[in-house]
Amino acid sequence: MTNPTITTEAPAAVARTWTCVLFDLDGTLTDSAPGITSSLVRMFETLGLPIPTPSELVEYVGPPLLDSLQAMAGFDEAGARAALTVYRADYAANGAFDSAVFPGVRGLLQRLQAAGIPLAVATSKPETQATRILEHFELAQYFDVIAGATDDESRSAKADVVADALRRLGELGVALDHTVMVGDRAYDVEGAGEHGIPTILVEWGYGSPAEAAGAIAVVHSADQLSTLLLG
């Protein structure tokens, strides 16, 4: 996210005790664009199609990929599913761990866990892959629930993933009355908003300044985010 308007003072809606925090994965917890975009390049090469520009490739990071392949690459649904199969095979083998945990994120998760705040991941990435990545980077231990898309894409929209995360948290007895989402794209704001959940956007992700519309705050560091989440 480049040069957004940053909320420097927490609005009243932020300065509260949160009972639960949902986190997006790509662009929020991990800088995963290198692995995603390199696998996309190899997918387009395998299919004999023109390779999008670097800026166009980054646009694929975050939203459900099946939708993006149709909206941005012009595939019909059958073609998008075939392309997705090629992409996922390459990503699982070559791209999944070509990423890094953003600075300060691990310490933030440790502080939230120590404060007794239940945490969940809600990502449009397939849940099996998200779990594998979080375990690889030793972040899975901080989350009560890891919710993501199904492998068959029957659940991939952000609102549906958030709904699944909330359902599973509720089954664990987590209080959901003051839940907040942390993400980096408009899809996070919109998906959480469908459930009446406010969103804090992180500046270090892949969104544009315009995507901050509707967020209750935009933060530029993990320390600033920690202040908004812990008070």
mmCIF file of all heavy atoms in Angstrom, residues 2-3 17 24 32 48 52-53 68 83 109 111 114 125-126 159 162 164 167 170 175 183 188 196 198-199 208 213:
data_model
loop_
_atom_site.group_PDB
_atom_site.id
_atom_site.type_symbol
_atom_site.label_atom_id
_atom_site.label_comp_id
_atom_site.label_asym_id
_atom_site.label_seq_id
_atom_site.Cartn_x
_atom_site.Cartn_y
_atom_site.Cartn_z
ATOM 1 N N THR A 2 0.764 2.113 -0.943
ATOM 2 C CA THR A 2 1.688 3.213 -1.112
ATOM 3 C C THR A 2 1.097 4.518 -0.620
ATOM 4 O O THR A 2 0.065 4.988 -1.115
ATOM 5 C CB THR A 2 2.078 3.367 -2.597
ATOM 6 O OG1 THR A 2 2.577 2.136 -3.073
ATOM 7 C CG2 THR A 2 3.138 4.441 -2.760
ATOM 8 N N ASN A 3 1.766 5.134 0.366
ATOM 9 C CA ASN A 3 1.416 6.460 0.865
ATOM 10 C C ASN A 3 -0.068 6.675 1.132
ATOM 11 O O ASN A 3 -0.671 7.614 0.619
ATOM 12 C CB ASN A 3 1.896 7.527 -0.134
ATOM 13 C CG ASN A 3 3.403 7.504 -0.283
ATOM 14 O OD1 ASN A 3 4.119 7.285 0.680
ATOM 15 N ND2 ASN A 3 3.883 7.712 -1.498
ATOM 16 N N THR A 17 -11.420 -2.581 23.937
ATOM 17 C CA THR A 17 -10.863 -3.903 24.198
ATOM 18 C C THR A 17 -11.478 -4.890 23.218
ATOM 19 O O THR A 17 -12.678 -5.138 23.235
ATOM 20 C CB THR A 17 -11.175 -4.342 25.640
ATOM 21 O OG1 THR A 17 -10.598 -3.411 26.544
ATOM 22 C CG2 THR A 17 -10.597 -5.731 25.900
ATOM 23 N N ASP A 24 -5.756 -11.399 8.015
ATOM 24 C CA ASP A 24 -5.488 -11.864 6.660
ATOM 25 C C ASP A 24 -4.070 -12.453 6.668
ATOM 26 O O ASP A 24 -3.302 -12.222 7.621
ATOM 27 C CB ASP A 24 -5.598 -10.674 5.702
ATOM 28 C CG ASP A 24 -5.221 -11.035 4.282
ATOM 29 O OD1 ASP A 24 -5.705 -12.070 3.783
ATOM 30 O OD2 ASP A 24 -4.433 -10.292 3.665
ATOM 31 N N SER A 32 4.254 -12.378 0.775
ATOM 32 C CA SER A 32 4.174 -13.591 -0.044
ATOM 33 C C SER A 32 4.158 -13.313 -1.538
ATOM 34 O O SER A 32 4.105 -14.250 -2.340
ATOM 35 C CB SER A 32 2.917 -14.375 0.336
ATOM 36 O OG SER A 32 1.786 -13.520 0.296
ATOM 37 N N GLY A 48 1.236 -20.929 -22.372
ATOM 38 C CA GLY A 48 1.561 -20.248 -23.619
ATOM 39 C C GLY A 48 0.890 -18.895 -23.771
ATOM 40 O O GLY A 48 0.588 -18.462 -24.890
ATOM 41 N N PRO A 52 1.724 -11.060 -17.641
ATOM 42 C CA PRO A 52 1.367 -9.713 -17.196
ATOM 43 C C PRO A 52 2.586 -8.958 -16.672
ATOM 44 O O PRO A 52 3.614 -9.553 -16.328
ATOM 45 C CB PRO A 52 0.357 -9.967 -16.068
ATOM 46 C CG PRO A 52 -0.177 -11.344 -16.339
ATOM 47 C CD PRO A 52 0.980 -12.104 -16.916
ATOM 48 N N THR A 53 2.475 -7.646 -16.584
ATOM 49 C CA THR A 53 3.547 -6.827 -16.034
ATOM 50 C C THR A 53 3.672 -7.091 -14.531
ATOM 51 O O THR A 53 2.739 -7.603 -13.902
ATOM 52 C CB THR A 53 3.257 -5.344 -16.247
ATOM 53 O OG1 THR A 53 2.085 -4.983 -15.483
ATOM 54 C CG2 THR A 53 3.009 -5.040 -17.722
ATOM 55 N N SER A 68 -9.932 -13.758 -9.870
ATOM 56 C CA SER A 68 -8.977 -12.867 -10.531
ATOM 57 C C SER A 68 -8.591 -13.365 -11.914
ATOM 58 O O SER A 68 -8.410 -12.569 -12.844
ATOM 59 C CB SER A 68 -7.731 -12.705 -9.666
ATOM 60 O OG SER A 68 -8.041 -12.069 -8.448
ATOM 61 N N ALA A 83 -6.278 -23.334 -15.232
ATOM 62 C CA ALA A 83 -5.090 -22.527 -14.949
ATOM 63 C C ALA A 83 -4.744 -22.585 -13.468
ATOM 64 O O ALA A 83 -3.572 -22.662 -13.084
ATOM 65 C CB ALA A 83 -5.325 -21.081 -15.379
ATOM 66 N N LEU A 109 2.044 -10.912 17.497
ATOM 67 C CA LEU A 109 1.248 -12.103 17.792
ATOM 68 C C LEU A 109 1.547 -12.629 19.195
ATOM 69 O O LEU A 109 0.644 -13.065 19.914
ATOM 70 C CB LEU A 109 1.499 -13.180 16.740
ATOM 71 C CG LEU A 109 1.079 -12.833 15.303
ATOM 72 C CD1 LEU A 109 1.481 -13.964 14.360
ATOM 73 C CD2 LEU A 109 -0.415 -12.557 15.210
ATOM 74 N N ARG A 111 2.484 -10.844 21.766
ATOM 75 C CA ARG A 111 1.871 -9.942 22.747
ATOM 76 C C ARG A 111 0.362 -10.155 22.827
ATOM 77 O O ARG A 111 -0.222 -10.137 23.924
ATOM 78 C CB ARG A 111 2.192 -8.491 22.396
ATOM 79 C CG ARG A 111 3.657 -8.125 22.587
ATOM 80 C CD ARG A 111 3.897 -6.635 22.516
ATOM 81 N NE ARG A 111 3.632 -6.080 21.204
ATOM 82 C CZ ARG A 111 4.524 -6.052 20.203
ATOM 83 N NH1 ARG A 111 5.725 -6.587 20.368
ATOM 84 N NH2 ARG A 111 4.215 -5.507 19.048
ATOM 85 N N ALA A 114 -0.276 -13.397 24.657
ATOM 86 C CA ALA A 114 0.011 -13.228 26.078
ATOM 87 C C ALA A 114 -1.098 -12.454 26.783
ATOM 88 O O ALA A 114 -1.357 -12.667 27.972
ATOM 89 C CB ALA A 114 1.348 -12.520 26.268
ATOM 90 N N LYS A 125 -6.556 -17.725 0.580
ATOM 91 C CA LYS A 125 -5.644 -18.794 0.165
ATOM 92 C C LYS A 125 -6.234 -20.129 0.635
ATOM 93 O O LYS A 125 -6.890 -20.186 1.678
ATOM 94 C CB LYS A 125 -4.276 -18.567 0.798
ATOM 95 C CG LYS A 125 -3.209 -19.574 0.395
ATOM 96 C CD LYS A 125 -1.937 -19.358 1.191
ATOM 97 C CE LYS A 125 -1.223 -18.078 0.790
ATOM 98 N NZ LYS A 125 -0.728 -18.088 -0.585
ATOM 99 N N PRO A 126 -6.045 -21.219 -0.112
ATOM 100 C CA PRO A 126 -6.542 -22.516 0.360
ATOM 101 C C PRO A 126 -6.065 -22.809 1.782
ATOM 102 O O PRO A 126 -4.898 -22.601 2.108
ATOM 103 C CB PRO A 126 -5.952 -23.505 -0.650
ATOM 104 C CG PRO A 126 -5.813 -22.706 -1.902
ATOM 105 C CD PRO A 126 -5.408 -21.325 -1.442
ATOM 106 N N ALA A 159 -15.920 -12.981 2.568
ATOM 107 C CA ALA A 159 -17.032 -13.004 3.523
ATOM 108 C C ALA A 159 -17.331 -14.430 3.979
ATOM 109 O O ALA A 159 -17.652 -14.666 5.152
ATOM 110 C CB ALA A 159 -18.271 -12.377 2.913
ATOM 111 N N VAL A 162 -14.532 -15.530 6.366
ATOM 112 C CA VAL A 162 -14.732 -14.888 7.669
ATOM 113 C C VAL A 162 -15.855 -15.597 8.423
ATOM 114 O O VAL A 162 -15.745 -15.855 9.625
ATOM 115 C CB VAL A 162 -15.043 -13.392 7.500
ATOM 116 C CG1 VAL A 162 -15.513 -12.775 8.823
ATOM 117 C CG2 VAL A 162 -13.813 -12.649 6.985
ATOM 118 N N ASP A 164 -16.756 -18.688 8.206
ATOM 119 C CA ASP A 164 -16.263 -19.975 8.692
ATOM 120 C C ASP A 164 -15.371 -19.781 9.912
ATOM 121 O O ASP A 164 -15.454 -20.546 10.887
ATOM 122 C CB ASP A 164 -15.491 -20.690 7.580
ATOM 123 C CG ASP A 164 -15.083 -22.106 7.977
ATOM 124 O OD1 ASP A 164 -15.983 -22.903 8.302
ATOM 125 O OD2 ASP A 164 -13.872 -22.396 7.966
ATOM 126 N N ARG A 167 -17.599 -19.016 12.859
ATOM 127 C CA ARG A 167 -18.318 -20.216 13.306
ATOM 128 C C ARG A 167 -17.416 -21.090 14.170
ATOM 129 O O ARG A 167 -17.819 -21.552 15.258
ATOM 130 C CB ARG A 167 -18.813 -21.008 12.090
ATOM 131 C CG ARG A 167 -19.498 -22.332 12.452
ATOM 132 C CD ARG A 167 -19.809 -23.155 11.213
ATOM 133 N NE ARG A 167 -18.621 -23.521 10.460
ATOM 134 C CZ ARG A 167 -17.794 -24.510 10.790
ATOM 135 N NH1 ARG A 167 -18.020 -25.243 11.884
ATOM 136 N NH2 ARG A 167 -16.735 -24.789 10.042
ATOM 137 N N GLY A 170 -16.646 -19.479 17.501
ATOM 138 C CA GLY A 170 -17.810 -19.592 18.372
ATOM 139 C C GLY A 170 -17.913 -20.956 19.007
ATOM 140 O O GLY A 170 -18.287 -21.084 20.191
ATOM 141 N N ALA A 175 -15.661 -15.158 22.626
ATOM 142 C CA ALA A 175 -16.599 -14.031 22.558
ATOM 143 C C ALA A 175 -16.328 -13.245 21.278
ATOM 144 O O ALA A 175 -15.199 -12.834 21.014
ATOM 145 C CB ALA A 175 -16.422 -13.128 23.776
ATOM 146 N N GLY A 183 -6.177 -6.498 7.817
ATOM 147 C CA GLY A 183 -5.863 -6.919 6.458
ATOM 148 C C GLY A 183 -5.159 -5.828 5.689
ATOM 149 O O GLY A 183 -4.752 -4.808 6.254
ATOM 150 N N ASP A 188 -10.661 -7.382 2.293
ATOM 151 C CA ASP A 188 -10.727 -7.644 3.730
ATOM 152 C C ASP A 188 -11.784 -6.755 4.382
ATOM 153 O O ASP A 188 -12.579 -7.223 5.201
ATOM 154 C CB ASP A 188 -9.355 -7.400 4.369
ATOM 155 C CG ASP A 188 -8.275 -8.282 3.779
ATOM 156 O OD1 ASP A 188 -8.511 -9.504 3.667
ATOM 157 O OD2 ASP A 188 -7.204 -7.769 3.425
ATOM 158 N N GLY A 196 -20.491 -7.221 9.905
ATOM 159 C CA GLY A 196 -20.493 -6.145 10.881
ATOM 160 C C GLY A 196 -19.187 -5.983 11.624
ATOM 161 O O GLY A 196 -19.153 -5.385 12.710
ATOM 162 N N PRO A 198 -15.390 -4.422 11.894
ATOM 163 C CA PRO A 198 -14.534 -3.354 11.367
ATOM 164 C C PRO A 198 -13.161 -3.890 10.986
ATOM 165 O O PRO A 198 -12.747 -4.964 11.447
ATOM 166 C CB PRO A 198 -14.429 -2.381 12.546
ATOM 167 C CG PRO A 198 -14.566 -3.264 13.753
ATOM 168 C CD PRO A 198 -15.557 -4.341 13.363
ATOM 169 N N THR A 199 -12.462 -3.145 10.140
ATOM 170 C CA THR A 199 -11.149 -3.582 9.658
ATOM 171 C C THR A 199 -10.103 -2.498 9.854
ATOM 172 O O THR A 199 -10.351 -1.321 9.588
ATOM 173 C CB THR A 199 -11.208 -3.952 8.167
ATOM 174 O OG1 THR A 199 -12.104 -5.051 7.985
ATOM 175 C CG2 THR A 199 -9.835 -4.360 7.646
ATOM 176 N N SER A 208 -3.912 -0.441 -2.540
ATOM 177 C CA SER A 208 -3.703 0.959 -2.923
ATOM 178 C C SER A 208 -4.349 1.851 -1.873
ATOM 179 O O SER A 208 -5.180 1.401 -1.084
ATOM 180 C CB SER A 208 -4.340 1.221 -4.287
ATOM 181 O OG SER A 208 -5.754 1.107 -4.194
ATOM 182 N N ALA A 213 -10.651 3.001 2.047
ATOM 183 C CA ALA A 213 -11.999 3.509 2.291
ATOM 184 C C ALA A 213 -12.810 2.456 3.047
ATOM 185 O O ALA A 213 -12.855 1.298 2.655
ATOM 186 C CB ALA A 213 -12.675 3.853 0.968
#
